[in-house]
Amino acid sequence: MILELLDESLVLLRRLMCWSIKEMIYVRLSINNEFSLSINEDIRQKILDWNSVDKKLYDHFYEKLKKIISEQDESFHREVAELRKLNENFSRECYDRRMPVYSGNKVGYSLAESHQQNMTCKILATDDVTQTHVIGLKQFKDSLPPSDIMMVRNHMQNLRKYNPAMLAWSDVNKALHTEQEDPKPEL
């Protein structure tokens, strides 16, 4: 997976895993902003020097992915275009607006009125750290001290100020106290 070629990476993964194209829908929660773009050249060069091995590894796989993409047939490129259209339609349907940038490069969303209860819209607007906390709560709910649960709740409540479309604590709390298997999110 290469971020700059995310749609192409996801289509290749979809084909490899025989998944539906709808399972590849995503929402961008991070963006390059003026801070990341304003790093002066000396600092940028130091960062590249410190991370030279990582950069070589990245460059190798970037070129390898570009080669794989160049070998794909027209159906692959149609599928990439379809994924982009699905993502665009999904975002337009789920979210009223994108919120201002917070915490450096994070983006929040506001749920469309018609999708206030749509768990797929909420989950895809929830950042990876929060989702990891939620998974941990679900897995270890019987052995966690109340202070850990409160920490996750407070974290989520603070983030929702900037990203009101993400999962709410009430969504998580309901899932934690439901013994039945969670329903599959609607697409």
Side-chain angles (χ1 to χ4, degrees), residues 1 7-25 75-76 79-80 82-83 86:
M1 302 292 277
D7 294 331
E8 292 85 351
S9 297
L10 288 172
V11 169
L12 288 170
L13 179 64
R14 186 214 70 71
R15 288 177 165 203
L16 182 67
M17 301 301 291
C18 300
W19 290 337
S20 158
I21 191 76
K22 288 185 176 182
E23 293 175 301
M24 301 290 103
I25 293 172
S75 69
F76 170 82
E79 211 171 314
V80 170
E82 179 185 357
L83 176 59
L86 281 170

Side-chain angles (χ1 to χ4, degrees), residues 50-170:
W50 292 333
N51 296 290
S52 62
V53 175
D54 291 334
K55 176 81 167 90
K56 286 179 184 173
L57 191 62
Y58 171 85
D59 289 344
H60 169 77
F61 285 105
Y62 180 83
E63 292 305 319
K64 185 172 182 173
L65 181 59
K66 291 281 283 191
K67 183 177 184 318
I68 292 169
I69 291 168
S70 72
E71 295 168 350
Q72 299 302 305
D73 62 9
E74 187 55 38
S75 69
F76 170 82
H77 299 287
R78 281 194 304 270
E79 211 171 314
V80 170
E82 179 185 357
L83 176 59
R84 289 179 178 148
K85 188 73 170 165
L86 281 170
N87 276 325
E88 183 182 311
N89 291 341
F90 178 84
S91 289
R92 190 178 315 110
E93 185 177 325
C94 277
Y95 311 114
D96 279 341
R97 64 189 168 94
R98 193 168 91 175
M99 309 296 280
V101 174
Y102 69 96
S103 187
N105 68 340
K106 301 294 182 206
V107 177
Y109 294 90
S110 171
L111 279 172
E113 189 62 37
S114 60
H115 285 72
Q116 294 293 314
Q117 301 306 314
N118 185 309
M119 288 303 290
T120 301
C121 295
K122 290 180 178 186
I123 290 168
L124 288 179
T126 302
D127 66 286
D128 56 335
V129 172
T130 302
Q131 287 193 29
T132 302
H133 287 319
V134 169
I135 291 167
L137 285 176
K138 186 81 171 158
Q139 287 179 329
F140 304 109
K141 68 180 178 182
D142 296 329
S143 61
L144 287 174
S147 59
D148 285 7
I149 295 169
M150 296 301 287
M151 181 218 42
V152 173
R153 187 197 72 177
N154 292 343
H155 165 81
M156 291 180 72
Q157 288 174 339
N158 286 332
L159 281 183
R160 277 184 56 84
K161 295 174 193 170
Y162 307 102
N163 187 5
M166 68 179 273
L167 284 171
W169 175 250
S170 58

Side-chain angles (χ1 to χ4, degrees), residues 26-66:
Y26 64 92
V27 175
R28 288 190 186 273
L29 297 175
S30 299
I31 61 166
N32 284 331
N33 59 18
E34 56 279 349
F35 173 76
S36 60
L37 299 174
S38 68
I39 297 173
N40 74 43
E41 196 51 44
D42 290 340
I43 299 295
R44 186 179 307 278
Q45 192 54 53
K46 283 182 183 175
I47 291 170
L48 288 173
D49 291 345
W50 292 333
N51 296 290
S52 62
V53 175
D54 291 334
K55 176 81 167 90
K56 286 179 184 173
L57 191 62
Y58 171 85
D59 289 344
H60 169 77
F61 285 105
Y62 180 83
E63 292 305 319
K64 185 172 182 173
L65 181 59
K66 291 281 283 191

